[in-house]
Amino acid sequence: MMRAFLVVMDSVGIGGAPDAASYFNDSVPDTGADTLGHIFDACARGAAEEGRSGPLHLPTLAGLGLYQAADLASGGARAGDQPVTGLWGAATEVSKGKDTPSGHWELAGLPVPWDWHYFPDRVPAFPKDLTDEVCRLAGTDGVLANCHGSGTVMLDQFGEEHIRTGKPICYTSADSVFQIAAHEEHFGLDRLLTLCADLAPTLHAMKVGRVIARPFVGEPGNFTRTGNRHDYAIKPPQPILTNWVQEAGRRVYAVGKIGDIFSMSGIDEVRKGDDASLMRHLSDLVDEAEEGSLTFANFVEFDSLYGHRRNVSGYARHLEWFDAELARLLPRLREGDLMLITADHGNDPTWTGTDHTRERVPVLIAGRGDGSIGQVGFADVAASIAAHLDVPAQGPGRSFL
């Protein structure tokens, strides 16, 4: 019996989304956004030299067809003549969003069946009845921020006042999210998690995709997020890939925030941590996961540490780290295993604003031969994983294997 490993490089888009003009960053359409391509170009001209140097070096991903997939998605002729040993293609999303739930749900076989609710980019961003509910649940007489913003900026701007007043820091973005930041010691981690869990049904009824707890520690001028983030996401309304596999009697492992994204639907075991820890978890599962199992992993730091912060050098460093770690994993796959590497959206660190960018994503497959699978849909990923594991698939996807 074969195993499957579905690995999401969070936000590593490859440009070329046909509907990018309908999505915006700071009122600028995402037309031309290309996360991988623009990082590649910045490295080539010496504009990404912090903590690394020279052209972008991704021999393992390139060997699986990453640059061929990028050329297929958006042009650029970056593939060169390196031999390719994997299957490769470019996937296009149909869900109306460029966010984590939309991308992951569709990769798992379920295009989002509704329009998400987004909060307006103004101050205040949230309706009064919603902030009143936050205050009631938190036991405070107000909230801080109440705007669009980057998480680290929110801590710098409101962290000291949060400690002084006890008011939670509430903010959003271009995604369908409601985020609450609070200090683990001064506010309390359990209190923050309870607040988010109690608030989530109200937001979910509004079709807001996620309520995110953003705990942090430190003192003014030196605040840092901790690894205790928790996403309270809407549960998928129909069975998805994880359910298909679990209902066939197989085991499903979630690495990273996968369990949060799917509200634990179809998940047997969760392993969390920073990306370095997640890579160790994935490595352990390559050695230990049962025959017939699915391991679904998300590596979030491409997005959270480098994409949103528009840090080109950091993004390039993380790509090169991931590539080197992948080189250690692939030779240890068992005969019959499949590892599929993809992304959920873009987050071009050279782009205006701080939000995700609407892009196609790579689909790179080790363990099933080599060659092009062409242009595919996000939902085709789920159908293909199901076909590999020989479990019944549902939804609109079609296997490209």
Side-chain angles (χ1 to χ4, degrees):
M1 191 180 292
M2 299 172 282
R3 304 182 300 170
F5 299 86
L6 175 53
V7 180
V8 178
M9 303 182 295
D10 200 303
S11 86
V12 183
I14 53 175
D19 56 358
S22 299
Y23 296 82
F24 295 86
N25 264 273
D26 283 353
S27 301
V28 176
D30 285 346
T31 307
D34 184 352
T35 300
L36 178 68
H38 289 156
I39 294 170
F40 181 98
D41 293 344
C43 292
R45 64 175 185 271
E49 297 289 301
E50 296 177 15
R52 61 165 309 282
S53 185
L56 189 62
H57 185 62
L58 305 176
T60 310
L61 290 165
L64 292 175
L66 175 62
Y67 293 126
Q68 282 80 1
D71 288 350
L72 177 64
S74 56
R78 299 181 179 96
D81 57 1
Q82 176 170 339
V84 174
T85 60
L87 290 175
W88 56 269
T92 304
E93 185 176 10
V94 299
S95 299
K96 295 179 180 179
K98 53 176 180 175
D99 50 61
T100 294
S102 297
H104 282 78
W105 283 22
E106 194 168 329
L107 288 170
L110 177 63
V112 178
W114 53 63
D115 290 337
W116 296 112
H117 178 81
Y118 301 94
F119 294 106
D121 190 359
R122 66 189 183 207
V123 180
F126 308 123
K128 184 177 182 301
D129 60 346
L130 180 56
T131 54
D132 286 347
E133 179 66 2
V134 175
C135 293
R136 185 186 71 81
L137 292 171
T140 61
D141 60 1
V143 302
L144 301 176
N146 201 343
C147 61
H148 280 234
S150 169
T152 52
V153 173
M154 294 293 98
L155 300 190
D156 292 341
Q157 189 170 350
F158 298 103
E160 185 174 2
E161 185 178 358
H162 162 72
I163 291 173
R164 186 176 71 252
T165 66
K167 297 176 181 178
I169 303 169
C170 300
Y171 62 102
T172 187
S173 70
D175 295 334
S176 181
V177 295
F178 189 96
Q179 305 190 72
I180 306 179
H183 198 284
E184 287 196 357
E185 298 166 5
H186 294 280
F187 188 88
L189 176 59
D190 289 344
R191 183 183 174 197
L192 171 62
L193 297 177
T194 298
L195 170 61
C196 291
D198 290 346
L199 184 64
T202 298
L203 274 298
H204 293 169
M206 298 169 62
K207 292 298 185 285
V208 174
R210 289 177 293 163
V211 178
I212 306 178
R214 291 285 198 175
F216 65 97
V217 294
E219 299 302 325
N222 189 33
F223 292 125
T224 57
R225 289 172 168 175
T226 74
N228 293 319
R229 162 184 171 158
H230 192 88
D231 294 36
Y232 298 85
I234 295 179
K235 185 176 181 178
Q238 299 173 29
I240 54 172
L241 173 64
T242 53
N243 302 113
W244 310 342
V245 175
Q246 192 181 64
E247 289 166 5
R250 315 289 183 77
R251 192 161 180 83
V252 179
Y253 296 93
V255 177
K257 63 180 184 178
I258 295 297
D260 293 340
I261 293 167
F262 297 126
S263 293
M264 291 301 295
S265 183
I267 306 295
D268 291 299
E269 182 179 330
V270 175
R271 303 189 184 189
K272 287 191 170 186
D274 59 14
D275 273 12
S277 300
L278 299 180
M279 187 59 74
R280 289 192 291 273
H281 291 317
L282 180 58
S283 177
D284 290 342
L285 287 165
V286 166
D287 292 337
E288 301 166 3
E290 297 92 336
E291 293 299 314
S293 64
L294 167 66
T295 297
F296 198 162
N298 171 284
F299 289 86
V300 70
E301 291 178 4
F302 296 105
D303 184 60
S304 62
L305 296 185
Y306 308 114
H308 286 299
R309 301 182 191 185
R310 297 303 189 248
N311 183 341
V312 180
S313 295
Y315 209 128
R317 286 197 312 272
H318 209 58
L319 282 166
E320 290 171 339
W321 165 81
F322 182 88
D323 188 89
E325 293 294 327
L326 188 64
R328 299 182 181 97
L329 289 183
L330 293 180
R332 291 169 28 222
L333 294 174
R334 301 174 190 168
E335 183 177 356
D337 284 350
L338 174 150
M339 181 172 284
L340 191 154
I341 300 156
T342 187
D344 53 342
H345 50 71
N347 201 346
D348 188 339
T350 73
W351 212 244
T352 185
T354 62
D355 294 316
H356 297 154
T357 43
R358 180 74 166 186
E359 302 179 39
R360 288 185 168 116
V361 301
V363 178
L364 313 175
I365 305 165
R368 290 296 297 255
D370 60 84
S372 173
I373 59 172
Q375 296 276 10
V376 300
F378 274 38
D380 296 338
V381 169
S384 301
I385 295 287
H388 175 78
L389 292 175
D390 194 25
V391 301
Q394 303 173 37
R398 296 293 179 269
S399 175
F400 44 67
L401 296 179

